Amino acid sequence: MTALQTVQITRRVDPHLSIDRYDPEGELMLLHFGPQHPSTHGVFRMDLYLDGEKVVKVIPHVGYLHRAVEKLCETLAYVQITPIVDKNDYVAPMTNEQALNMAFEAALKLEVPRRARWMRTLFAELQRIASHLLWLGTFALDLGGALGGGSTVFIHCFRERELVLDLFEEVTGARFHYNTHTIGGNRHDLPAGWSAKVHAALDVIGPRLDEYEAMTLENRIFLDRTVGVGKLDAELALELGITGPILRACGVDHDLRRDAPFHAYDEVKVNVVTAQGGDCLARAQVRLGEMRESVRLVRQMVDGVPEGSINSGKPVKLPVQTKIPPGQVYVAIETPRGELGTYLVSDGTQFPYRLKIRPPSLHALSALPYIVPGGTVSDAVAILGSLDPIMGEVDR
Amino acid sequence: MSDGLLHGVVYSVLIVSVVLTATAMALWFERKFAARMQTRLGPTIVGPIGLLQPVADLLKLLQKEDIVPDNADAAIFNLVPPLAALAALGAAAVVPFSPSVVASDLDVGVLYVLAIGAVTVLPIFGAGWSSNNKLALLGGMRAVAQSISYEVPLLLSAMVPVILSGSLRLGTIVQMQADHHWFVVWPFFIGLPAFGIFMLAMLAEANRIPFDIPEAESELVAGVTTEYTGMKFALFYMAEYVHTIVASAVGAALFLGGWDGPFFPGLHWMVLKTLLLFTAVYWVRWSLLRFRSDQLMGLCWKWLVPMGVLLVGAAATWVVVFP
């Protein structure tokens, strides 16, 4: 946490402003990269100003997937909001629910039973594995193409991700949009024999992570494409509010799981994975390391889930009529992409007055104008992929 | 009609139909092969074990609307797809599938293959230029830079068997290897690296991963073929496969002894060797990631070209010392 407090906000030259000096005759080619483009991870648009293959200037445009989720939440009862925010970070839906319901619980000052907190931790870590696997697959797709080696990595990663989704299905009945967290605890208890299945799945995933490391971090072409590409320095990352693996890849040792423990993270030791360099390779190293750490954490915790209730049984008999006392609260958790925050303002009715979601991906995208210029179009694709943006949570 | 002309016409028709059929089967084979690499099954529905999938693909593409973008240069836009297919097929004319099965065993066969290979860049560039699409233009730009650069190591490595055998005629080159040794076997320290360079340059010429940057679909959507639909796209697609097959056959003839082999007729050996090289190309394609264009140029000019020059020198010395 120390690093965070020493940040000085410095005035930087906006990279957008230097364009006229570079290109007085306006001879640069403007390439609209997206929103319908295979490598924009959804609907994202970058205006690339190209000098040949070289990118001179980048203007990111967000908002193509805007669904007015935050406004919609103001018209819904608190328990109805969970399935809506599931669709924000659609690669790690569990963490959306957790951040949201933790905010409600904090506002209600509810104590979540220990069993529910352990289950949430387990879910979060399993979700991290699934999310990072999907990232690795799509990143390889960006580097290697859908009709080539990239898709081979992609499909192999999806094979392992399936195992995790199967585990979630076992608990919640849903493979993706779970709606398993609720105010004060969880909705679905762990089925009998679930921990054995978790161990079986991890027995498969663990060794395969070695294979993925060999396929990527020891692959000459992968290294050529990632080393020194998209270098982001720690100071700029902190200034832009970037969190999660991207920040840790810049060498900043910051992880909310350890620094501001939520769920049951205060009962286990989390080894924070960091890397130096801040380039695409460092981000890949951090995410691959985090998958191993998550495998270790899940193995450690899955047998020790305490007995007891999974829900506090509060606040009222009819959950839809839950009212939160007037006030405001901000809760942040560490998702696979960084700090996912929920800011809730309540006016005492059964609907939120304002519900603001702070998505880590939006802040990650704000680095693009700084780190893409100077590289080629290919680098722009690699950098965008390495930031792991999920447009569902960027645009909301 | 003279015998020579008749021979030429019959064998041209024969070889074009064989190569086109082989292309269709290669499509199926590649799909199955890639699917097994990716823990999938590949095509299974159309025909037994999906064998008729290429036919279904073709029928689908035939039904597609043929779109010429409003601001495209229609003349060039329509001209280049058949040109691409023709240029790729043209090289098949001189490939000796067996001592007798060859459409035209030209005296300058190797030169002809390389010249036809150089033509393939024109339709790609034309497509990129005439589409009036920035992605296609970028793809065309990359294609020209890449093809012209890799022309050099391709030429140099193809010179090695020419020097060793003392002939530009593909038939003579194969006969020479049948009489003595395949060039990858002896002198292996010249033949093997030359074979490697030839295959790499050939991959680059055929725009195959890791050198497929002109169509890099994760960057340029579909590169030069972005604006093409239906059969025009199919022609480009086919040209790529034909190019790969023909280049594999030429590689087999130049370095792997062509039709030479024990027990079976020469045609079988040639097909087997071509298929092996073809499989290797697709093995690489479905395993590796893609280079960046500047790294591609670096590999060509910093490594392949100097090595090619050295090998040509070594081959010349070898021929002088052990005539």
Side-chain angles (χ1 to χ4, degrees), chain A residues 30 33 37-39 53 141-149 151-152 155-156 159 221-222 224-225 376 378-379 381, chain B residues 37-40 134-135 137-138 141-142 209-210 217-221 285-295:
Chain A
L30 170 60
F33 193 88
H37 188 284
S39 301
E53 278 263 335
L141 212 54
D142 289 341
L143 294 180
L147 296 174
S151 64
T152 307
I155 290 176
H156 283 232
R159 178 183 61 182
I221 298 181
F222 184 88
D224 279 350
R225 289 294 305 277
T376 64
S378 314
D379 288 339
V381 173
Chain B
M37 281 182 77
Q38 300 184 342
T39 70
R40 295 185 288 121
K134 287 168 180 172
L135 297 165
L137 181 66
L138 272 178
M141 198 172 79
R142 288 179 176 189
I209 279 181
E217 76 283 336
S218 60
E219 295 152 24
L220 302 180
V221 187
R285 178 185 183 185
W286 293 97
S287 314
L288 291 185
L289 304 175
R290 179 184 296 132
F291 276 116
R292 213 168 56 206
S293 44
D294 54 324
Q295 293 160 348

Coordinates of all heavy atoms in Angstrom, one line a residue, chain A residues 30 33 37-39 53 141-149 151-152 155-156 159 221-222 224-225 376 378-379 381, chain B residues 37-40 134-135 137-138 141-142 209-210 217-221 285-295:
Chain A
L30 N -5.8 7.3 -41.5 CA -6.6 7.0 -40.3 C -7.3 5.7 -40.5 O -8.1 5.5 -41.5 CB -7.7 8.2 -40.2 CG -8.7 7.9 -39.2 CD1 -8.2 7.7 -37.8 CD2 -9.7 9.1 -39.2
F33 N -10.1 1.1 -36.3 CA -9.8 -0.3 -35.9 C -11.0 -0.7 -35.0 O -11.0 -0.3 -33.8 CB -8.5 -0.3 -35.1 CG -7.9 -1.6 -34.9 CD1 -7.1 -2.2 -35.8 CD2 -8.2 -2.3 -33.7 CE1 -6.6 -3.5 -35.6 CE2 -7.7 -3.5 -33.4 CZ -6.9 -4.1 -34.4
H37 N -14.3 -5.7 -35.5 CA -13.0 -6.2 -35.8 C -12.7 -7.4 -35.0 O -13.1 -7.4 -33.8 CB -12.0 -5.1 -35.6 CG -10.6 -5.4 -36.0 ND1 -9.8 -6.3 -35.4 CD2 -9.9 -5.0 -37.1 CE1 -8.7 -6.4 -36.1 NE2 -8.7 -5.6 -37.1
P38 N -12.1 -8.4 -35.5 CA -11.9 -9.7 -34.7 C -11.1 -9.5 -33.5 O -11.2 -10.3 -32.6 CB -11.3 -10.6 -35.7 CG -10.9 -9.8 -36.9 CD -11.7 -8.6 -36.9
S39 N -10.3 -8.5 -33.4 CA -9.4 -8.5 -32.2 C -9.7 -7.4 -31.2 O -8.8 -7.0 -30.4 CB -7.9 -8.3 -32.7 OG -7.6 -9.3 -33.6
E53 N 3.2 1.5 -41.4 CA 2.7 0.5 -40.5 C 2.8 1.1 -39.1 O 2.2 0.5 -38.1 CB 3.6 -0.8 -40.5 CG 3.2 -1.7 -41.6 CD 2.3 -2.8 -41.1 OE1 2.3 -3.2 -39.9 OE2 1.6 -3.4 -41.9
L141 N -4.7 -15.8 -29.6 CA -5.5 -15.6 -30.9 C -5.1 -14.3 -31.5 O -5.0 -14.2 -32.7 CB -7.0 -15.5 -30.5 CG -8.0 -16.0 -31.5 CD1 -7.7 -17.4 -31.9 CD2 -9.4 -16.0 -30.8
D142 N -4.9 -13.2 -30.6 CA -4.5 -12.0 -31.2 C -3.1 -12.1 -31.8 O -2.8 -11.4 -32.8 CB -4.4 -10.9 -30.1 CG -5.8 -10.5 -29.6 OD1 -6.7 -10.8 -30.3 OD2 -5.9 -10.0 -28.5
L143 N -2.2 -12.9 -31.2 CA -0.9 -13.0 -31.7 C -0.8 -13.9 -32.9 O 0.0 -13.7 -33.8 CB 0.1 -13.4 -30.6 CG 0.3 -12.5 -29.5 CD1 1.3 -13.2 -28.5 CD2 0.9 -11.2 -29.9
G144 N -1.6 -14.9 -32.9 CA -1.4 -16.0 -33.9 C -2.5 -16.2 -34.9 O -2.4 -17.0 -35.8
G145 N -3.6 -15.5 -34.7 CA -4.7 -15.7 -35.7 C -5.6 -16.8 -35.4 O -5.3 -17.8 -34.9
A146 N -6.8 -16.6 -35.9 CA -7.9 -17.6 -35.7 C -7.7 -18.8 -36.6 O -8.3 -19.9 -36.4 CB -9.2 -17.0 -36.0
L147 N -6.8 -18.7 -37.7 CA -6.6 -19.8 -38.5 C -5.1 -20.2 -38.4 O -4.4 -20.2 -39.4 CB -6.9 -19.4 -40.0 CG -8.4 -19.1 -40.3 CD1 -8.6 -18.6 -41.7 CD2 -9.2 -20.3 -40.0
G148 N -4.7 -20.5 -37.2 CA -3.3 -20.8 -37.0 C -3.0 -21.2 -35.6 O -3.9 -21.6 -34.9
G149 N -1.8 -21.1 -35.2 CA -1.4 -21.6 -33.9 C -2.1 -20.9 -32.8 O -2.3 -21.5 -31.7
S151 N -5.3 -20.2 -32.6 CA -6.5 -20.9 -32.2 C -6.3 -22.2 -31.6 O -7.1 -22.7 -30.8 CB -7.4 -21.1 -33.5 OG -6.7 -21.9 -34.4
T152 N -5.1 -22.8 -31.8 CA -4.8 -24.0 -31.1 C -4.7 -23.8 -29.6 O -5.2 -24.5 -28.8 CB -3.5 -24.6 -31.6 OG1 -3.6 -24.7 -33.0 CG2 -3.2 -26.0 -31.0
I155 N -8.2 -23.0 -28.1 CA -9.1 -24.1 -27.9 C -8.7 -25.0 -26.7 O -9.4 -25.4 -25.9 CB -9.3 -24.9 -29.2 CG1 -10.2 -24.1 -30.1 CG2 -10.0 -26.2 -28.9 CD1 -10.4 -24.7 -31.5
H156 N -7.3 -25.1 -26.6 CA -6.8 -25.9 -25.5 C -7.1 -25.2 -24.1 O -7.5 -25.8 -23.2 CB -5.3 -26.1 -25.6 CG -5.0 -27.1 -26.6 ND1 -4.1 -28.2 -26.3 CD2 -5.4 -27.3 -27.9 CE1 -4.0 -29.0 -27.3 NE2 -4.8 -28.5 -28.3
R159 N -10.6 -25.8 -23.2 CA -10.9 -27.1 -22.7 C -10.7 -27.1 -21.2 O -11.5 -27.7 -20.4 CB -9.8 -28.1 -23.3 CG -9.9 -29.5 -22.8 CD -8.8 -30.3 -23.5 NE -7.4 -29.7 -23.1 CZ -6.3 -30.2 -23.6 NH1 -6.3 -31.2 -24.4 NH2 -5.2 -29.7 -23.2
I221 N 8.7 -17.0 -30.9 CA 7.9 -16.0 -31.6 C 7.0 -15.2 -30.6 O 6.9 -14.0 -30.7 CB 7.0 -16.7 -32.6 CG1 7.8 -17.3 -33.7 CG2 6.0 -15.7 -33.3 CD1 7.1 -18.1 -34.8
F222 N 6.5 -15.9 -29.6 CA 5.8 -15.2 -28.5 C 6.6 -14.1 -27.8 O 6.2 -13.0 -27.6 CB 5.3 -16.2 -27.5 CG 4.4 -15.7 -26.4 CD1 3.0 -15.6 -26.6 CD2 4.9 -15.2 -25.2 CE1 2.2 -15.1 -25.6 CE2 4.1 -14.7 -24.2 CZ 2.7 -14.6 -24.5
D224 N 9.3 -12.7 -29.1 CA 9.6 -11.6 -30.0 C 8.4 -10.6 -30.1 O 8.6 -9.4 -30.3 CB 9.8 -12.2 -31.5 CG 11.2 -12.7 -31.6 OD1 12.0 -12.4 -30.7 OD2 11.5 -13.4 -32.6
R225 N 7.2 -11.2 -30.0 CA 6.0 -10.3 -30.1 C 5.7 -9.5 -28.9 O 4.9 -8.6 -28.9 CB 4.8 -11.1 -30.5 CG 4.8 -11.7 -31.9 CD 4.8 -10.6 -33.0 NE 3.6 -9.7 -32.8 CZ 2.4 -10.0 -33.3 NH1 2.2 -11.1 -33.9 NH2 1.4 -9.1 -33.1
T376 N 3.8 -0.9 -34.2 CA 3.1 -1.2 -35.4 C 1.6 -1.6 -35.2 O 1.2 -1.7 -34.0 CB 3.8 -2.3 -36.2 OG1 3.7 -3.5 -35.5 CG2 5.2 -2.0 -36.4
S378 N 0.5 -4.4 -35.6 CA 0.5 -5.7 -34.9 C 0.7 -5.5 -33.4 O 0.1 -6.2 -32.6 CB 1.7 -6.6 -35.5 OG 1.7 -6.5 -36.9
D379 N 1.6 -4.6 -33.1 CA 1.8 -4.3 -31.7 C 0.5 -3.8 -31.0 O 0.2 -4.1 -29.9 CB 2.9 -3.2 -31.5 CG 4.3 -3.8 -31.8 OD1 4.4 -5.0 -31.8 OD2 5.2 -3.0 -32.1
V381 N -2.5 -4.6 -31.6 CA -3.3 -5.7 -31.4 C -2.8 -6.5 -30.1 O -3.6 -6.9 -29.2 CB -3.4 -6.7 -32.6 CG1 -4.1 -7.9 -32.2 CG2 -4.0 -6.0 -33.7
Chain B
M37 N -5.3 -31.6 -33.8 CA -4.3 -30.9 -33.0 C -5.1 -30.1 -31.9 O -4.5 -29.8 -30.9 CB -3.6 -29.9 -33.9 CG -2.4 -30.6 -34.7 SD -1.6 -29.4 -35.6 CE -0.6 -28.6 -34.3
Q38 N -6.3 -29.7 -32.2 CA -7.0 -28.8 -31.3 C -8.1 -29.6 -30.5 O -9.0 -29.0 -30.0 CB -7.7 -27.7 -32.1 CG -6.7 -26.9 -32.8 CD -7.3 -25.7 -33.5 OE1 -8.5 -25.7 -33.7 NE2 -6.5 -24.7 -33.9
T39 N -7.9 -30.9 -30.4 CA -8.9 -31.7 -29.6 C -10.3 -31.5 -30.1 O -11.2 -31.5 -29.4 CB -8.9 -31.4 -28.1 OG1 -9.4 -30.1 -27.9 CG2 -7.5 -31.4 -27.5
R40 N -10.4 -31.3 -31.4 CA -11.7 -31.3 -32.0 C -11.9 -32.5 -33.0 O -10.9 -33.3 -33.1 CB -11.9 -30.0 -32.8 CG -11.9 -28.8 -32.0 CD -12.2 -27.5 -32.9 NE -11.1 -27.2 -33.8 CZ -11.2 -27.2 -35.1 NH1 -12.3 -27.5 -35.7 NH2 -10.1 -26.8 -35.8
K134 N -8.8 0.3 -46.5 CA -7.5 0.5 -45.9 C -6.8 -0.7 -45.4 O -5.6 -0.9 -45.4 CB -7.7 1.5 -44.7 CG -7.9 2.9 -45.2 CD -8.4 3.8 -44.1 CE -8.6 5.2 -44.6 NZ -9.3 6.1 -43.6
L135 N -7.7 -1.6 -44.8 CA -7.1 -2.9 -44.3 C -6.5 -3.7 -45.5 O -5.4 -4.3 -45.4 CB -8.2 -3.7 -43.6 CG -8.8 -3.0 -42.4 CD1 -10.0 -3.7 -42.0 CD2 -7.8 -3.1 -41.3
L137 N -5.4 -2.4 -48.3 CA -4.2 -1.7 -48.7 C -3.0 -2.1 -47.9 O -1.9 -2.4 -48.4 CB -4.4 -0.2 -48.7 CG -3.3 0.6 -49.2 CD1 -3.1 0.4 -50.7 CD2 -3.6 2.1 -49.0
L138 N -3.2 -2.1 -46.5 CA -2.1 -2.4 -45.6 C -1.7 -3.9 -45.9 O -0.5 -4.1 -45.9 CB -2.6 -2.3 -44.2 CG -2.4 -1.0 -43.5 CD1 -3.0 -1.1 -42.1 CD2 -1.0 -0.6 -43.4
M141 N 0.3 -3.9 -49.1 CA 1.7 -3.3 -48.8 C 2.6 -4.3 -48.2 O 3.7 -4.5 -48.6 CB 1.5 -2.1 -47.9 CG 2.6 -1.2 -47.8 SD 2.0 0.2 -46.9 CE 2.2 -0.4 -45.2
R142 N 2.0 -5.0 -47.2 CA 2.9 -6.0 -46.5 C 3.2 -7.1 -47.5 O 4.3 -7.7 -47.4 CB 2.1 -6.6 -45.3 CG 1.9 -5.7 -44.1 CD 1.1 -6.5 -43.1 NE 1.0 -5.7 -41.9 CZ 0.4 -6.2 -40.8 NH1 0.0 -7.5 -40.8 NH2 0.3 -5.5 -39.7
I209 N 1.2 -19.1 -42.0 CA 1.8 -18.8 -40.7 C 3.1 -19.6 -40.6 O 3.1 -20.7 -41.0 CB 0.7 -19.3 -39.6 CG1 -0.3 -18.2 -39.5 CG2 1.4 -19.6 -38.3 CD1 -1.4 -18.5 -38.5
P210 N 4.1 -19.0 -40.0 CA 4.1 -17.8 -39.2 C 4.4 -16.6 -40.1 O 4.7 -15.5 -39.6 CB 5.3 -18.0 -38.3 CG 6.2 -18.9 -39.0 CD 5.4 -19.8 -39.9
E217 N -5.5 -12.1 -39.9 CA -6.9 -11.8 -39.7 C -7.1 -11.2 -38.3 O -8.2 -10.5 -38.1 CB -7.8 -13.0 -39.9 CG -7.8 -14.0 -38.8 CD -6.6 -14.9 -38.9 OE1 -6.0 -14.9 -40.0 OE2 -6.2 -15.4 -37.9
S218 N -6.2 -11.3 -37.4 CA -6.4 -10.7 -36.1 C -6.0 -9.2 -36.1 O -6.3 -8.5 -35.2 CB -5.7 -11.4 -35.0 OG -4.3 -11.4 -35.2
E219 N -5.3 -8.8 -37.2 CA -4.9 -7.4 -37.3 C -5.7 -6.7 -38.4 O -6.3 -5.7 -38.3 CB -3.4 -7.3 -37.5 CG -2.6 -7.8 -36.4 CD -1.3 -8.4 -36.8 OE1 -0.8 -7.9 -37.9 OE2 -0.7 -9.2 -36.1
L220 N -5.7 -7.4 -39.6 CA -6.2 -6.7 -40.8 C -7.5 -7.4 -41.2 O -7.8 -7.4 -42.4 CB -5.2 -6.8 -41.9 CG -3.8 -6.2 -41.6 CD1 -2.9 -6.3 -42.8 CD2 -4.0 -4.7 -41.3
V221 N -8.3 -7.9 -40.3 CA -9.5 -8.6 -40.6 C -9.3 -9.8 -41.6 O -9.2 -10.9 -41.2 CB -10.6 -7.6 -41.1 CG1 -11.9 -8.3 -41.3 CG2 -10.7 -6.5 -40.2
R285 N 1.7 -24.4 -39.4 CA 0.7 -23.3 -39.4 C -0.2 -23.4 -38.2 O -0.5 -22.4 -37.6 CB -0.2 -23.5 -40.6 CG -1.3 -22.5 -40.6 CD -2.3 -22.8 -41.8 NE -3.3 -21.7 -41.7 CZ -4.4 -21.6 -42.5 NH1 -4.5 -22.6 -43.4 NH2 -5.2 -20.7 -42.4
W286 N -0.6 -24.6 -37.8 CA -1.5 -24.7 -36.6 C -0.7 -24.8 -35.3 O -1.3 -25.1 -34.3 CB -2.4 -25.9 -36.8 CG -3.3 -25.7 -37.9 CD1 -3.2 -26.1 -39.2 CD2 -4.5 -24.9 -37.9 NE1 -4.2 -25.7 -40.0 CE2 -5.0 -24.9 -39.3 CE3 -5.2 -24.2 -37.0 CZ2 -6.2 -24.3 -39.6 CZ3 -6.3 -23.5 -37.3 CH2 -6.8 -23.6 -38.6
S287 N 0.6 -24.6 -35.3 CA 1.3 -24.6 -34.0 C 1.9 -23.3 -33.7 O 2.0 -22.9 -32.5 CB 2.5 -25.6 -34.1 OG 2.2 -26.8 -34.7
L288 N 2.3 -22.5 -34.6 CA 3.0 -21.3 -34.3 C 2.2 -20.0 -34.3 O 1.1 -20.0 -34.9 CB 4.2 -21.1 -35.3 CG 5.3 -22.2 -35.2 CD1 6.4 -21.8 -36.2 CD2 5.8 -22.3 -33.8
L289 N 2.7 -19.0 -33.7 CA 2.1 -17.7 -33.7 C 2.7 -17.0 -34.9 O 3.5 -17.5 -35.7 CB 2.4 -17.0 -32.4 CG 1.9 -17.7 -31.2 CD1 2.3 -16.9 -29.9 CD2 0.4 -17.8 -31.2
R290 N 2.3 -15.7 -35.0 CA 2.6 -15.0 -36.2 C 3.7 -14.0 -35.9 O 3.8 -13.3 -34.9 CB 1.4 -14.2 -36.7 CG 1.5 -13.4 -37.9 CD 0.3 -12.6 -38.2 NE -0.8 -13.5 -38.5 CZ -2.0 -13.5 -38.0 NH1 -2.3 -12.6 -37.0 NH2 -3.0 -14.3 -38.3
F291 N 4.7 -13.8 -36.9 CA 5.7 -12.8 -36.8 C 5.1 -11.4 -37.0 O 4.0 -11.3 -37.6 CB 6.8 -13.0 -37.8 CG 7.8 -14.0 -37.4 CD1 8.0 -15.2 -38.1 CD2 8.7 -13.8 -36.3 CE1 9.0 -16.1 -37.7 CE2 9.6 -14.7 -36.0 CZ 9.8 -15.8 -36.7
R292 N 5.9 -10.4 -36.6 CA 5.5 -9.1 -37.0 C 6.2 -8.7 -38.3 O 7.3 -9.3 -38.6 CB 6.0 -8.1 -35.9 CG 5.1 -6.9 -35.6 CD 5.5 -6.3 -34.4 NE 6.9 -5.9 -34.3 CZ 7.6 -5.8 -33.2 NH1 7.0 -6.0 -32.1 NH2 8.9 -5.5 -33.2
S293 N 5.7 -7.8 -39.1 CA 6.3 -7.6 -40.4 C 7.8 -7.2 -40.3 O 8.6 -7.7 -41.2 CB 5.5 -6.6 -41.2 OG 5.2 -5.5 -40.4
D294 N 8.2 -6.4 -39.4 CA 9.6 -6.0 -39.3 C 10.5 -7.2 -38.9 O 11.6 -7.3 -39.4 CB 9.8 -4.8 -38.4 CG 9.2 -5.1 -37.0 OD1 8.2 -5.7 -36.9 OD2 9.9 -4.6 -36.0
Q295 N 9.9 -8.0 -38.0 CA 10.7 -9.2 -37.7 C 10.9 -10.2 -38.8 O 11.9 -10.8 -39.0 CB 10.0 -9.9 -36.5 CG 10.1 -9.1 -35.2 CD 9.0 -9.6 -34.2 OE1 8.2 -10.3 -34.5 NE2 9.2 -9.1 -33.0

